[in-house]
Amino acid sequence: IERPKVVYNAATSTFVLWMHLDSFSYTYRYAGVATSPSPVGPFEWKHALHPNGHESFDLQIWREPGTEDAYLLRDTDGHAWTMVSRLTADYTGVEEEVSSRLKGPCEGIALFKDLPGDGLH
């Protein structure tokens, strides 16, 4: 397990944990999902997946400020690309890719929203 990320889902009152799951030789290349009513657990295992059919390495979760829309960003396909997918309403799966084939490699992915007029990022 590497790079765990936790996001709160207000609609389900649940904390959702996403993580990179791999073997010591980095041949597994899955994302894993678990949930908990508390941000510190214990977490209940849900599933492992290749989001949108692509292997997963480094990942990040981002929720759109002021909404409940959340996204999975991940380094994929042998570190060749970075992909972004919208999460399902319960945040435990992915829907469609909203951005794909962003040239990689990309380690330590971060996404932010620039708020106009405040000069902060």
Side-chain angles (χ1 to χ4, degrees):
I1 296 175
E2 295 180 359
R3 303 179 188 252
K5 308 294 189 276
V6 177
V7 62
Y8 182 69
N9 186 304
T12 62
S13 300
T14 303
F15 291 89
V16 181
L17 170 68
W18 281 79
M19 68 204 86
H20 173 208
L21 294 175
D22 224 319
S23 62
F24 288 115
S25 59
Y26 287 92
T27 56
Y28 193 54
R29 303 173 179 180
Y30 276 79
V33 181
T35 60
S36 175
S38 166
V40 296
F43 283 85
E44 180 182 322
W45 177 253
K46 294 299 178 187
H47 57 148
L49 69 155
H50 282 142
N52 302 112
H54 296 273
E55 59 192 25
S56 182
F57 291 96
D58 191 13
L59 58 80
Q60 182 61 267
I61 300 295
W62 187 75
R63 189 173 66 210
E64 176 79 29
T67 75
E68 291 301 314
D69 295 335
Y71 300 86
L72 171 68
L73 298 80
R74 73 255 182 223
D75 182 25
T76 190
D77 294 342
H79 304 292
W81 308 104
T82 298
M83 294 185 173
V84 180
S85 297
R86 186 181 331 275
L87 293 181
T88 55
D90 66 1
Y91 299 171
T92 63
V94 292
E95 293 179 348
E96 79 279 2
E97 292 176 24
V98 295
S99 180
S100 62
R101 307 292 182 197
L102 302 172
K103 187 77 172 126
C106 187
E107 188 90 12
I109 303 161
L111 186 65
F112 63 90
K113 184 172 185 171
D114 183 15
L115 301 175
D118 66 5
L120 299 176
H121 293 72

